[in-house]
Amino acid sequence: MPSGLKHNHTRALWPYALLAAFVFLFFWDSFLAGKAPVMRDTVIDFLPWRMFAREAFRAGALPLWNPYSNCGQPFMAEPQSAFFYAPHALFYAFPPVTALKLWLALHYAIAAVSMYALARHWRLQAAPALMAAIGFAFGTHLIAAMEFQSLLGALVWTPLTLLLTSRLVEAWSGSRQTSPRVAAGRMIPAMLILAVVLATQYLAGHQQAFLNGALINVLFLMTACVARRDLKGLAICGAAWGAAGALALGLSMTQFLLTLQLVPESVRAMDFDPRLDQGSLHPRLLLAWLVPYFAGAPGQWAGARPFSTFEFWVGTAYIGAAPLVLATLSLARLRRGGRTAAVTWLLWAIVAFGIVMSMGKYTPVYMWCHRHLPLIDKFRWPSKFLQLAAFALPLLGAIGMQGLLEGGGRAERRLRAAIVAGWIALWGAMALAWLMRRDSPEFFARLGGLDYSANPNLFACARADFARAAVFLGIALAASVFMLAERIPARWRRGAGLAIVLVTFVNLGDGRRIQPLMPDAVYRFEPPALNRFKDEADPGRCFLNMADKMYEMYGVEDPRIFVLARKSGIGESWLPYHVYKVWGTSTLVRADYNQLLSALMLASPADPGWQRVANLVNTRHLVVAPSMRKALEGKAAMDIELYGNNQALPRAMVVDHWMTAPRGEAMELLMRPDFDIYRQIVVDRAPAGWPANHPLAAAGRLEPITRLRDAGVDAIRYGWNRVDVTARSAGRALLFLDDVHDAGWRAEVDGREVPILRANMCFRAVPLEAGGPHTVSFRYWPRQATLGLAATAATMVMMIMLAAIAWRIRSKGNQE
């Protein structure tokens, strides 16, 4: 290879190596010091899900059903399970904690590298592109999203999808003077790669982040074509992007169809609470884009405050002082017109829309969209729309720095000078406030809305954050003034740009404290209470009322709290250990089961109604955990208590009395004091040829039936997507299984397929036509699983054929 080419190749690669080094520095103690970011939802939900999927993968099974949570629920249909998301192969190949560290580092590398590649594709110089990459990857919004793997996994692919959309537009633009065959040969490869990346982003498991990314892509495509005054290109590129989206949907059918089948049965089909009171961005919180922790760091935001965002992650989009200042300088580029101005207008429109939507209840826009636009009514937490601003602002900062490096005309330079002068005035006000009011808790209380006088440590943190923000803002302004000078040589400006890149990384490195680092042994802790539930021949469920416990874990730096959470079985933390639970995490919990669950969550165990519902759902164990906040303050022991319930229904029972009732009336019938839940059930319909009702005759008080043996059941065996029951009946009867029903279940009794009845609101029952012993097999394989696998396979074949066509076209073009 000629030396010149080697030199150019090295120059092209060094920014990627630098970004990889930044990612390693950000996670260095995870790889070298035995630590890891210990985060609430990762501990109690995401890592247990990955471990469950890993077990299924190694068993050669598809984990369609999770029998352990919420009295049984679909697993793969839950988007956040993300079984088919390619990077989750790390969890199937490595130990869980190692895989988690690699997964986090990989996704930060994807975010940084793809944002850099996008900026370079838009012909920005290396320094602006690096700053955009750092501002996006290490900004507080993405760091806060680290806790939620589905959210982070979807967010990081947006720059790459936009890069591929931009390439798609340029493929058409570069070939529109040639034949349609040549244009197709250039566009098809970009379309196919875009389809793969879009499918990957969707399969990460967070639909709102995926749709936000798709919105950015479509708006850019329209803007780029309109700026070129190419309406034909708009139609052709729009059709190509639509085809890429259709192919991506085809690749995702294994997930999409299962989720689509579950949504109408879930709480998302109801009047879904968007959480306006908790997740609306108060206008005052926009100051957090300049002073990131002025209203408190994670863990300090929970509790009563004069505004509503109750967790740090839903109110933060700090990208660093320099990118923010330089983003405002991008306004000067609008004077040039052309494609750069069009893209700049688009990015500012995306920022404005994201801010307005994230304000939720503070503007009428969000609720109008919630009522009138499709899909918006299925989302919650308005502040998630900050994803749009957190993506667009770093790119605007890069465009602003590019303008400084290029110089521009006199009008541009004057506008930049005026903007910088405004920032200098703001910085002067901050410096003056620091000099005059730095010892005043009242000043910071008015700024941040927290009572600093009662907490000296919190006040000290607020002062330090304010000073740090002022220092980095001053450095950014000094660099901007230096680059504004007309007589500064171009190489010095480039050097100043690289200095801003390094300062921005240092500035955003402080975001590490958003996710506390702890010994990674926290993830490997195995709760002692699990020994009580292992190998139970007569399985029963556990219940923990954790309504006030999850929120207390956010931003906590004490590893004992996470150990306590795993001891308590909060969320899905007991899923890898095969413990059956009444409660579990799901964004698509079934609406009918949720009615029973709500009765448990909202009532006290001393309430007779609570006891009856607990019995109905096979609650054998009550887990009592202390308040996390009291435990943290030393006012409660870091341990749990287990209580038994000897009146719970057995997991399965044979009954020869039933009553039929519509689903909406079943709850009232089950809660009637004269309805014997141990000897009869409520079904949605009677088996064909059976009487509609066969009620229990009035009798004196009888002892509850709580053991499988006494209930006519000899054994229950659970496997992947199946349950096998051996039972006996004296005559015509129903076998009731206290597991949630779903349309994907099929049942056989003694080798003959039988219908499954919906029993006791949301559980399963099958008819036993005659007396004697019976073998009952339940199998879960929804037809959507078969259709999804077939659709995905067909899409892959179609894409291979399209790739072959594109290759032949390009080969003929090269020969000509």
Side-chain angles (χ1 to χ4, degrees):
M1 178 182 291
S3 60
L5 291 179
K6 183 175 181 180
H7 177 67
N8 291 336
H9 183 67
T10 303
R11 289 184 61 185
L13 289 180
W14 75 262
Y16 295 100
L18 180 62
L19 291 173
F22 283 154
V23 172
F24 177 79
L25 287 173
F26 193 79
F27 290 104
W28 74 270
D29 35 16
S30 291
F31 294 111
L32 301 179
K35 295 185 177 181
V38 178
M39 304 164 287
R40 180 193 62 188
D41 280 39
T42 302
V43 170
I44 66 176
D45 288 331
F46 287 102
L47 192 59
W49 279 331
R50 306 296 169 253
M51 294 170 70
F52 185 74
R54 165 196 174 100
E55 183 182 359
F57 178 82
R58 294 192 168 187
L62 286 179
L64 291 162
W65 189 260
N66 165 14
Y68 303 106
S69 306
N70 283 324
C71 292
Q73 63 184 5
F75 182 76
M76 281 172 46
E78 164 59 54
Q80 295 187 105
S81 68
F83 181 74
F84 291 104
Y85 182 53
H88 286 164
L90 291 169
F91 291 94
Y92 310 149
F94 295 95
V97 180
T98 301
L100 174 63
K101 297 176 181 180
L102 293 172
W103 190 95
L104 290 172
L106 171 65
H107 282 76
Y108 273 79
I110 292 170
V113 167
S114 59
M115 181 62 92
Y116 174 81
L118 172 63
R120 292 291 281 164
H121 175 70
W122 285 354
R123 296 167 178 78
L124 300 180
Q125 295 182 28
L130 283 169
M131 190 188 67
I134 292 169
F136 175 64
F138 301 104
T140 57
H141 193 79
L142 217 62
I143 296 176
M146 188 190 300
E147 176 177 348
F148 313 98
Q149 285 190 4
S150 58
L151 177 58
L152 179 63
L155 285 176
V156 301
W157 295 101
T158 301
L160 185 54
T161 62
L162 188 55
L163 168 61
L164 292 167
T165 298
S166 183
R167 285 189 176 277
L168 188 68
V169 173
E170 289 201 357
W172 159 254
S173 179
S175 59
R176 58 182 174 174
Q177 303 301 327
T178 62
S179 66
R181 180 173 60 85
V182 173
R186 291 182 176 179
M187 295 182 71
I188 288 175
M191 183 183 73
L192 294 178
I193 298 172
L194 176 60
V196 172
V197 178
L198 285 172
T200 302
Q201 185 180 31
Y202 174 80
L203 292 172
H206 200 281
Q207 283 79 9
Q208 183 173 353
F210 170 78
L211 290 173
N212 284 341
L215 175 66
I216 292 171
N217 277 262
V218 172
L219 291 175
F220 170 80
L221 187 149
M222 295 171 61
T223 301
C225 291
V226 171
R228 289 180 169 90
R229 295 179 174 85
D230 186 6
L231 296 182
K232 181 180 179 181
L234 176 59
I236 292 176
C237 292
W241 202 95
L247 290 172
L249 181 62
L251 291 174
S252 307
M253 277 294 177
T254 49
Q255 173 72 61
F256 179 77
L257 288 180
L258 291 169
T259 303
L260 188 66
Q261 180 266 333
L262 179 58
V263 168
E265 298 287 336
S266 75
V267 293
R268 300 269 173 164
M270 305 165 62
D271 291 333
F272 196 65
D273 179 11
R275 304 289 177 90
L276 292 179
D277 288 336
Q278 296 175 319
S280 296
L281 181 73
H282 193 286
R284 288 175 59 185
L285 283 175
L286 292 174
L287 185 58
W289 291 13
L290 185 62
V291 186
Y293 311 111
F294 87 100
Q300 300 169 352
W301 280 34
R305 295 195 347 234
F307 38 85
S308 60
T309 309
F310 83 112
E311 286 190 354
F312 183 83
W313 68 273
V314 291
T316 184
Y318 182 69
I319 61 169
L324 183 63
V325 170
L326 293 169
T328 61
L329 296 184
S330 68
L331 295 171
R333 301 278 292 195
L334 299 177
R335 301 185 63 90
R336 296 188 185 184
R339 300 172 193 171
T340 301
V343 171
T344 304
W345 277 116
L346 171 64
L347 292 174
W348 276 114
I350 289 171
V351 170
F353 179 73
I355 291 173
V356 171
M357 288 294 287
S358 69
M359 288 184 178
K361 70 177 184 179
Y362 298 109
T363 73
V365 176
Y366 183 87
M367 283 312 299
W368 186 91
C369 295
H370 181 81
R371 293 190 185 99
H372 298 98
L373 297 183
L375 297 180
I376 300 295
D377 62 327
K378 305 303 179 190
F379 298 144
R380 61 181 183 180
W381 309 111
S383 290
K384 283 184 180 176
F385 280 96
L386 283 177
Q387 299 163 12
L388 298 172
F391 173 81
L393 276 173
L395 284 170
L396 287 168
I399 293 173
M401 183 190 284
Q402 182 76 15
L404 285 177
L405 293 174
E406 293 177 353
R410 184 180 299 274
E412 274 189 63
R413 293 196 298 270
R414 286 179 176 176
L415 180 55
R416 290 193 192 102
I419 294 172
V420 171
W423 278 107
I424 291 174
L426 176 61
W427 179 81
M430 290 179 65
L432 184 63
W434 170 256
L435 291 173
M436 298 182 63
R437 307 302 301 276
R438 65 179 181 272
D439 296 322
S440 170
E442 293 78 13
F443 168 73
F444 287 95
R446 286 195 298 272
L447 189 69
L450 295 174
D451 183 8
Y452 295 101
S453 60
N455 191 332
N457 291 332
L458 191 60
F459 176 54
C461 290
R463 289 205 317 167
D465 290 329
F466 190 89
R468 188 182 298 111
V471 167
F472 281 108
L473 179 59
I475 294 172
L477 291 173
S480 299
V481 170
F482 178 81
M483 297 173 73
L484 274 171
E486 295 185 33
R487 297 184 179 180
I488 296 297
R491 64 178 182 275
W492 287 20
R493 288 183 181 176
R494 289 195 295 270
L498 290 174
I500 288 178
V501 168
L502 296 174
V503 169
T504 299
F505 178 72
V506 174
N507 182 188
L508 293 176
D510 183 56
R512 279 282 303 268
R513 61 173 164 154
I514 294 176
Q515 306 293 2
L517 281 166
M518 302 179 200
D520 57 20
V522 172
Y523 285 109
R524 288 188 284 268
F525 173 78
E526 185 169 322
L530 295 175
N531 295 325
R532 177 177 295 193
F533 310 120
K534 287 182 178 178
D535 303 321
E536 282 190 328
D538 192 352
R541 293 192 173 94
C542 303
F543 176 75
L544 165 70
N545 191 337
M546 44 67 65
D548 63 339
K549 295 177 174 61
M550 277 184 64
Y551 298 136
E552 293 175 342
M553 295 174 60
Y554 185 74
V556 172
E557 300 181 6
D558 190 337
R560 297 177 302 164
I561 291 297
F562 293 94
V563 169
L564 177 58
R566 289 176 63 81
K567 285 182 180 179
S568 308
I570 289 179
E572 297 285 6
S573 54
W574 286 0
L575 175 60
Y577 309 108
H578 298 182
V579 177
Y580 299 96
K581 292 175 56 186
V582 172
W583 192 90
T585 304
S586 175
T587 60
L588 295 177
V589 62
R590 294 185 63 93
D592 46 12
Y593 179 73
N594 191 61
Q595 187 177 355
L596 284 171
L597 184 61
S598 297
L600 289 175
M601 301 293 281
L602 300 177
S604 165
D607 187 331
W610 184 95
Q611 181 67 55
R612 190 171 184 85
V613 175
N615 294 342
L616 280 167
V617 297
N618 183 228
T619 305
R620 292 284 181 84
H621 311 281
L622 177 63
V623 181
V624 177
S627 159
M628 298 292 182
R629 185 60 54 188
K630 290 183 178 179
L632 193 61
E633 295 171 351
K635 299 177 181 178
M638 290 280 187
D639 212 342
I640 65 168
E641 296 179 358
L642 285 172
Y643 295 93
N645 176 28
N646 59 8
Q647 296 184 349
L649 285 177
R651 178 64 55 85
M653 60 183 185
V654 176
V655 296
D656 50 11
H657 298 280
W658 63 90
M659 295 183 68
T660 58
R663 199 186 311 187
E665 300 176 9
M667 183 75 169
E668 181 180 354
L669 187 57
L670 288 168
M671 297 303 290
R672 277 173 34 185
D674 61 341
F675 188 90
D676 189 343
I677 61 174
Y678 302 99
R679 292 167 178 82
Q680 61 184 342
I681 59 175
V682 180
V683 292
D684 60 343
R685 69 187 192 280
W690 291 28
N693 293 289
H694 188 213
L696 183 67
R701 182 173 178 80
L702 300 171
E703 288 296 319
I705 298 174
T706 60
R707 297 193 306 167
L708 285 174
R709 185 78 183 168
D710 297 336
V713 176
D714 295 317
I716 296 179
R717 292 176 296 277
Y718 283 85
W720 290 108
N721 311 315
R722 63 181 294 172
V723 187
D724 296 303
V725 181
T726 54
R728 50 200 148 71
S729 64
R732 173 184 285 182
L734 295 172
L735 173 71
F736 170 72
L737 180 64
D738 208 351
D739 285 359
V740 166
H741 180 47
D742 183 272
W745 282 101
R746 299 291 182 269
E748 291 183 353
V749 175
D750 301 326
R752 184 174 61 87
E753 186 168 352
V754 297
I756 300 178
L757 311 178
R758 191 181 302 275
N760 285 5
M761 288 184 60
C762 55
F763 300 105
R764 299 175 230 158
V766 294
L768 306 176
E769 291 284 354
H774 302 282
T775 300
V776 182
S777 297
F778 295 89
R779 300 288 186 275
Y780 186 69
W781 188 271
R783 61 186 179 87
Q784 288 83 0
T786 302
L787 293 174
L789 290 170
T792 297
T795 303
M796 289 179 176
V797 172
M798 186 183 303
M799 293 178 69
I800 292 172
M801 294 173 62
L802 287 171
I805 291 171
W807 180 80
R808 289 188 62 184
I809 291 173
R810 301 192 72 168
S811 296
K812 287 183 178 180
N814 292 334
Q815 291 174 1
E816 294 173 358

